Amino acid sequence: MQDYSDEELLAQFRASPDARQNPELLDELFGRYYSRVAIWCYRFCGTREAAADLSQDVFLKAYRNLDSFRGAAKFSTWLYTIARNHCVNDMKARATRPAQNAETLDLELQDGETPSALSSMERREAVEGMRTLMNGTLDEVEKKVMVMHFAHEVPLDGVTRLLGLTNASGARAYIVSAKRKLNAAIQRLNARHGGSS
Amino acid sequence: MANNTANDLAQALNGGDECPSVDDLVMRIDGQLGGKLRGEAESHLAGCAHCQAELALFREFTSSAARPEEQADIDAIVKKLRKNSPAKRTPWWSALFKTKVWMPAAAALAAAVLVVTFVIPKHRIAQTEISSDMGAFRSARVNTVAPLGDVTQVPAELRWLPVPGATQYRVAVSEVDRTQLWNATVDGSVANLPVTVTRKIVPLKTLEWQVTALDAKGVALAESTGQKFRLAPNR
């Protein structure tokens, strides 16, 4: 059984007429991911008790939704998506205040120059321009921190633990640094735009 | 104008229409879909911070080992997961019945369980039944069935597993900003969605629903977490 791929195990499980009464196949498959899901949930929330609950929920969801798993997909990415979404949704459900993603971005950027060059572009081009700017300006860790926190809504301490950041203020320092770099890049862009017109 | 820039940055961080799902991304980069798609994916990846982060996070998930300071906690969680695996749906005592020599003992055990059941207060019975249904998972949860995650058709109803002791269920559908679109109280474990809600289920718009199980006095017995779903875009 250990020689089978995840997808082969799942195919055998599905092909078995009394699969739900013979848990060995699924035990083997899930067992391969217990540690990875536990680590992910633990780093996301930071406590053993909450991580145990989250991890159990992830496998319960996976178990219940096995029928919706696409055969062409990889089991690992499917389970990863469940784990990531469940952790974020659970955190939101428990939050007393809504996330402040857009506001946080907004406040910081108001300190910078008015980005006339980007704002004058068409919306789609402006987003593409920002993507290029971000890609050329930020280092690898800053990009990961920004995407994790602002796109995937992972809390800052969760980002710190997931990425194993060991600096004193963790992910927050990378966000401050990323915003400073982006502000400076926008100012340079505006200066060039103003100089050439 | 600063707002525009913040919106642009938020959109850039969220990825665009051209960004593949993490599953597609991994399969393309790993070359499982052929060299041409791999080349295209690498080219996209080089200029997309969103997908770079997405891939890095997935690699983190698959390859990460517990750090020394995490090891004890991770071991404890894994031990609990092994014990409570949802795959082990067969009750532990069923193995006893496979061996005939254990039959008398198993029968005695069943009798003892019956006796104990009769002296357990009523509210404890409800909790026990929920627990036995889901192994050792949270007892005060309503377990939702559908819709969850990406769906391919506009769902006509919300479905969940019945909760022992519940006589009614209160359901609510909200926008992701918590603006409530609809709520209702129903008798069974299915709630039909009204047209006012189904009309709002459009591709890529995420909605959230939640269900609360109520006893005959209207007291909440169990509650689901907020369940998000959205209509997948047409491919």
Side-chain angles (χ1 to χ4, degrees):
Chain A
M1 208 153 44
Q2 291 172 352
D3 295 334
Y4 290 125
S5 70
D6 296 346
E7 292 72 29
E8 285 170 337
L9 276 176
L10 200 50
Q12 283 204 23
F13 175 78
R14 283 171 154 176
S16 174
D18 56 349
R20 304 263 170 180
Q21 299 303 317
N22 292 303
E24 292 81 10
L25 290 167
L26 216 51
D27 258 354
E28 165 67 21
L29 178 61
F30 282 3
R32 294 176 183 181
Y33 290 90
Y34 283 152
S35 181
R36 296 174 211 188
V37 170
I39 290 171
W40 176 271
C41 294
Y42 183 78
R43 290 178 184 168
F44 192 97
C45 66
T47 68
R48 181 196 289 195
E49 292 72 24
D53 277 349
L54 285 172
S55 304
Q56 289 190 116
D57 285 348
V58 168
F59 283 104
L60 185 59
K61 275 196 170 175
Y63 179 78
R64 275 207 230 116
N65 290 291
L66 278 176
D67 292 340
S68 69
F69 173 72
R70 287 187 298 137
K74 281 169 75 87
F75 179 77
S76 56
T77 49
W78 184 72
L79 187 64
Y80 161 70
T81 306
I82 291 175
R84 196 186 65 191
N85 292 346
H86 182 71
C87 287
V88 170
N89 290 342
D90 188 82
M91 180 202 66
K92 282 184 185 173
R94 289 164 193 277
T96 53
R97 288 181 302 170
Q100 300 290 317
N101 292 334
E103 287 80 359
T104 306
L105 282 171
D106 225 12
L107 282 173
E108 293 298 322
L109 285 168
Q110 277 171 351
D111 295 335
E113 291 284 310
T114 303
S116 55
L118 283 174
S119 309
S120 63
M121 296 176 191
E122 292 293 329
R123 200 75 274 128
R124 194 177 178 84
E125 289 176 2
V127 173
E128 193 51 45
M130 184 58 82
R131 198 169 283 151
T132 305
L133 191 72
M134 197 166 63
N135 203 43
T137 306
L138 307 185
D139 67 31
E140 296 307 308
V141 180
E142 288 165 345
K143 283 183 211 169
K144 277 193 241 179
V145 170
M146 291 289 278
V147 172
M148 283 177 75
H149 184 58
F150 291 110
H152 295 315
E153 302 175 79
V154 180
L156 283 177
D157 51 356
V159 176
T160 302
R161 285 188 294 266
L162 282 166
L163 295 181
L165 305 176
T166 53
N167 57 312
S169 53
R172 188 175 301 280
Y174 288 89
I175 286 182
V176 170
S177 161
K179 285 177 178 172
R180 193 171 56 236
K181 286 183 182 177
L182 286 171
N183 267 328
I186 289 170
Q187 286 176 29
R188 284 196 299 275
L189 196 67
N190 283 339
R192 274 208 301 276
H193 181 76
S196 64
S197 61
Chain B
M1 290 207 189
N3 280 339
N4 281 344
T5 308
N7 287 338
D8 297 341
L9 178 55
Q11 283 190 47
L13 288 166
N14 271 305
D17 294 341
E18 69 282 9
C19 293
S21 68
V22 64
D23 190 50
D24 279 349
L25 181 64
V26 170
M27 287 202 290
R28 287 176 194 208
I29 291 295
D30 288 351
Q32 292 172 11
L33 302 178
K36 184 171 178 286
L37 286 178
R38 179 179 185 161
E40 288 174 6
E42 284 174 343
S43 172
H44 171 78
L45 198 61
C48 181
H50 176 86
C51 288
Q52 288 169 20
E54 190 79 277
L55 189 63
L57 282 176
F58 174 70
R59 301 288 190 222
E60 184 75 20
F61 172 76
T62 53
S63 62
S64 198
R67 298 165 192 141
E69 70 274 17
E70 299 171 331
Q71 195 66 58
D73 286 336
I74 298 300
D75 287 347
I77 297 168
V78 169
K79 188 177 174 188
K80 196 170 176 183
L81 287 172
R82 287 195 192 287
K83 185 180 168 195
N84 300 327
S85 168
K88 292 173 181 162
R89 304 290 288 180
T90 312
W92 64 270
W93 42 262
S94 71
L96 298 176
F97 287 85
K98 290 179 181 172
T99 311
K100 287 186 177 178
V101 294
W102 283 99
M103 285 297 284
L109 181 65
V113 168
L114 282 174
V115 169
V116 170
T117 302
F118 279 116
V119 297
I120 293 176
K122 203 170 180 64
H123 70 276
R124 287 289 306 278
I125 292 174
Q127 282 205 343
T128 306
E129 285 172 350
I130 300 168
S131 301
S132 64
D133 179 41
M134 303 314 303
F137 292 99
R138 293 174 181 169
S139 56
R141 279 279 174 85
V142 178
N143 294 297
T144 50
V145 175
L148 304 169
D150 281 357
V151 295
T152 53
Q153 291 182 328
V154 175
E157 60 191 25
L158 308 175
R159 285 186 290 122
W160 57 92
L161 297 180
V163 174
T167 56
Q168 286 190 312
Y169 299 87
R170 188 169 59 231
V171 290
V173 178
S174 316
E175 308 255 16
V176 286
D177 66 0
R178 307 282 165 86
T179 306
Q180 195 170 97
L181 298 177
W182 172 74
N183 68 70
T185 302
V186 297
D187 293 336
S189 56
V190 175
N192 293 316
L193 291 170
V195 179
T196 50
V197 174
T198 54
R199 200 183 290 148
K200 298 208 172 193
I201 303 173
V202 294
L204 294 176
K205 180 181 173 64
T206 302
L207 295 180
E208 185 171 312
W209 65 283
Q210 192 165 22
V211 55
T212 306
L214 307 171
D215 68 11
K217 293 177 182 171
V219 176
L221 292 173
E223 188 176 56
S224 73
T225 54
Q227 301 295 314
K228 287 188 167 52
F229 70 95
R230 66 175 190 172
L231 188 59
N234 295 324
R235 292 230 167 196

Short mmCIF file of all heavy atoms in Angstrom, two decimals, chain B residues 202-227:
data_model
loop_
_atom_site.label_atom_id
_atom_site.label_comp_id
_atom_site.label_asym_id
_atom_site.label_seq_id
_atom_site.Cartn_x
_atom_site.Cartn_y
_atom_site.Cartn_z
N VAL B 202 -23.77 34.46 -8.44
CA VAL B 202 -23.19 34.66 -9.78
C VAL B 202 -21.73 34.22 -9.71
O VAL B 202 -21.15 34.14 -8.63
CB VAL B 202 -23.30 36.14 -10.22
CG1 VAL B 202 -24.75 36.53 -10.39
CG2 VAL B 202 -22.63 37.06 -9.20
N PRO B 203 -21.12 33.93 -10.87
CA PRO B 203 -19.74 33.42 -10.85
C PRO B 203 -18.79 34.30 -10.06
O PRO B 203 -18.81 35.53 -10.16
CB PRO B 203 -19.36 33.40 -12.33
CG PRO B 203 -20.66 33.17 -13.03
CD PRO B 203 -21.67 33.93 -12.23
N LEU B 204 -17.99 33.66 -9.23
CA LEU B 204 -16.91 34.26 -8.44
C LEU B 204 -17.38 35.14 -7.29
O LEU B 204 -16.56 35.74 -6.61
CB LEU B 204 -15.94 35.04 -9.34
CG LEU B 204 -15.14 34.18 -10.32
CD1 LEU B 204 -14.29 35.05 -11.22
CD2 LEU B 204 -14.26 33.20 -9.56
N LYS B 205 -18.67 35.21 -7.07
CA LYS B 205 -19.16 35.97 -5.91
C LYS B 205 -19.33 35.00 -4.74
O LYS B 205 -20.09 34.04 -4.81
CB LYS B 205 -20.50 36.64 -6.22
CG LYS B 205 -21.07 37.45 -5.07
CD LYS B 205 -22.41 38.04 -5.48
CE LYS B 205 -23.12 38.71 -4.31
NZ LYS B 205 -22.41 39.87 -3.78
N THR B 206 -18.59 35.25 -3.68
CA THR B 206 -18.62 34.35 -2.54
C THR B 206 -19.75 34.73 -1.59
O THR B 206 -19.92 35.89 -1.26
CB THR B 206 -17.28 34.41 -1.79
OG1 THR B 206 -16.23 34.05 -2.69
CG2 THR B 206 -17.27 33.44 -0.61
N LEU B 207 -20.51 33.74 -1.20
CA LEU B 207 -21.54 33.92 -0.18
C LEU B 207 -21.24 32.98 0.98
O LEU B 207 -20.47 32.03 0.84
CB LEU B 207 -22.94 33.62 -0.74
CG LEU B 207 -23.46 34.55 -1.83
CD1 LEU B 207 -24.85 34.11 -2.28
CD2 LEU B 207 -23.50 36.00 -1.37
N GLU B 208 -21.83 33.27 2.12
CA GLU B 208 -21.55 32.46 3.30
C GLU B 208 -22.88 32.06 3.93
O GLU B 208 -23.81 32.86 3.95
CB GLU B 208 -20.73 33.29 4.29
CG GLU B 208 -20.28 32.53 5.51
CD GLU B 208 -19.29 33.34 6.35
OE1 GLU B 208 -18.34 33.89 5.78
OE2 GLU B 208 -19.49 33.41 7.56
N TRP B 209 -22.95 30.85 4.41
CA TRP B 209 -24.17 30.42 5.11
C TRP B 209 -23.83 29.73 6.40
O TRP B 209 -22.75 29.19 6.57
CB TRP B 209 -25.04 29.54 4.23
CG TRP B 209 -24.50 28.22 3.81
CD1 TRP B 209 -23.58 27.99 2.85
CD2 TRP B 209 -24.86 26.94 4.32
NE1 TRP B 209 -23.35 26.64 2.73
CE2 TRP B 209 -24.12 25.97 3.62
CE3 TRP B 209 -25.74 26.49 5.32
CZ2 TRP B 209 -24.23 24.60 3.87
CZ3 TRP B 209 -25.86 25.12 5.56
CH2 TRP B 209 -25.11 24.20 4.83
N GLN B 210 -24.79 29.76 7.30
CA GLN B 210 -24.58 29.19 8.61
C GLN B 210 -25.90 28.61 9.10
O GLN B 210 -26.97 29.13 8.79
CB GLN B 210 -24.09 30.28 9.57
CG GLN B 210 -23.58 29.73 10.88
CD GLN B 210 -22.77 30.76 11.66
OE1 GLN B 210 -22.92 31.95 11.43
NE2 GLN B 210 -21.93 30.31 12.56
N VAL B 211 -25.81 27.53 9.84
CA VAL B 211 -27.03 26.90 10.35
C VAL B 211 -26.87 26.65 11.85
O VAL B 211 -25.80 26.29 12.32
CB VAL B 211 -27.34 25.60 9.57
CG1 VAL B 211 -26.16 24.64 9.59
CG2 VAL B 211 -28.57 24.90 10.13
N THR B 212 -27.95 26.88 12.57
CA THR B 212 -27.98 26.65 14.01
C THR B 212 -29.10 25.66 14.33
O THR B 212 -30.24 25.85 13.88
CB THR B 212 -28.26 27.97 14.76
OG1 THR B 212 -27.29 28.93 14.35
CG2 THR B 212 -28.16 27.78 16.27
N ALA B 213 -28.76 24.61 15.06
CA ALA B 213 -29.78 23.62 15.45
C ALA B 213 -30.46 24.09 16.74
O ALA B 213 -29.79 24.52 17.68
CB ALA B 213 -29.11 22.27 15.67
N LEU B 214 -31.80 24.01 16.76
CA LEU B 214 -32.57 24.48 17.92
C LEU B 214 -33.38 23.34 18.51
O LEU B 214 -33.88 22.47 17.77
CB LEU B 214 -33.53 25.60 17.48
CG LEU B 214 -32.91 26.77 16.72
CD1 LEU B 214 -34.03 27.67 16.16
CD2 LEU B 214 -31.99 27.58 17.63
N ASP B 215 -33.51 23.33 19.82
CA ASP B 215 -34.38 22.32 20.42
C ASP B 215 -35.82 22.84 20.45
O ASP B 215 -36.11 23.92 19.94
CB ASP B 215 -33.87 21.91 21.82
CG ASP B 215 -33.99 23.04 22.84
OD1 ASP B 215 -34.65 24.06 22.54
OD2 ASP B 215 -33.42 22.91 23.94
N ALA B 216 -36.71 22.06 21.07
CA ALA B 216 -38.14 22.41 21.04
C ALA B 216 -38.43 23.76 21.69
O ALA B 216 -39.42 24.42 21.37
CB ALA B 216 -38.94 21.31 21.72
N LYS B 217 -37.54 24.18 22.60
CA LYS B 217 -37.75 25.47 23.26
C LYS B 217 -37.07 26.62 22.53
O LYS B 217 -37.04 27.75 23.01
CB LYS B 217 -37.22 25.40 24.70
CG LYS B 217 -38.01 24.46 25.59
CD LYS B 217 -37.38 24.38 26.96
CE LYS B 217 -38.15 23.41 27.85
NZ LYS B 217 -37.45 23.15 29.11
N GLY B 218 -36.46 26.29 21.41
CA GLY B 218 -35.78 27.33 20.64
C GLY B 218 -34.37 27.61 21.13
O GLY B 218 -33.74 28.58 20.72
N VAL B 219 -33.86 26.74 21.99
CA VAL B 219 -32.49 26.93 22.51
C VAL B 219 -31.50 26.30 21.53
O VAL B 219 -31.72 25.20 21.03
CB VAL B 219 -32.34 26.27 23.91
CG1 VAL B 219 -30.91 26.36 24.40
CG2 VAL B 219 -33.31 26.92 24.89
N ALA B 220 -30.42 27.03 21.27
CA ALA B 220 -29.42 26.54 20.31
C ALA B 220 -28.68 25.33 20.88
O ALA B 220 -28.14 25.38 21.98
CB ALA B 220 -28.44 27.65 19.98
N LEU B 221 -28.68 24.24 20.11
CA LEU B 221 -27.96 23.02 20.53
C LEU B 221 -26.58 22.96 19.90
O LEU B 221 -25.61 22.50 20.50
CB LEU B 221 -28.73 21.78 20.05
CG LEU B 221 -30.07 21.47 20.68
CD1 LEU B 221 -30.71 20.31 19.96
CD2 LEU B 221 -29.87 21.12 22.15
N ALA B 222 -26.50 23.40 18.68
CA ALA B 222 -25.24 23.30 17.94
C ALA B 222 -25.29 24.29 16.79
O ALA B 222 -26.36 24.73 16.37
CB ALA B 222 -25.04 21.90 17.40
N GLU B 223 -24.11 24.62 16.29
CA GLU B 223 -24.03 25.65 15.24
C GLU B 223 -22.93 25.25 14.27
O GLU B 223 -21.91 24.69 14.67
CB GLU B 223 -23.70 26.98 15.91
CG GLU B 223 -23.76 28.18 14.98
CD GLU B 223 -23.49 29.46 15.76
OE1 GLU B 223 -22.43 29.55 16.41
OE2 GLU B 223 -24.34 30.35 15.72
N SER B 224 -23.12 25.55 13.01
CA SER B 224 -22.04 25.30 12.05
C SER B 224 -21.11 26.51 12.06
O SER B 224 -21.49 27.58 12.56
CB SER B 224 -22.60 25.11 10.65
OG SER B 224 -23.05 26.35 10.13
N THR B 225 -19.93 26.33 11.50
CA THR B 225 -19.11 27.51 11.23
C THR B 225 -19.67 28.15 9.96
O THR B 225 -20.47 27.55 9.26
CB THR B 225 -17.64 27.13 11.01
OG1 THR B 225 -17.58 26.15 9.98
CG2 THR B 225 -17.01 26.60 12.27
N GLY B 226 -19.24 29.37 9.65
CA GLY B 226 -19.67 30.01 8.41
C GLY B 226 -19.13 29.23 7.23
O GLY B 226 -17.95 28.95 7.16
N GLN B 227 -20.01 28.84 6.31
CA GLN B 227 -19.59 28.03 5.16
C GLN B 227 -19.62 28.87 3.89
O GLN B 227 -20.68 29.36 3.51
CB GLN B 227 -20.52 26.81 5.01
CG GLN B 227 -20.54 25.93 6.24
CD GLN B 227 -19.19 25.28 6.50
OE1 GLN B 227 -18.55 24.75 5.59
NE2 GLN B 227 -18.74 25.33 7.74
#
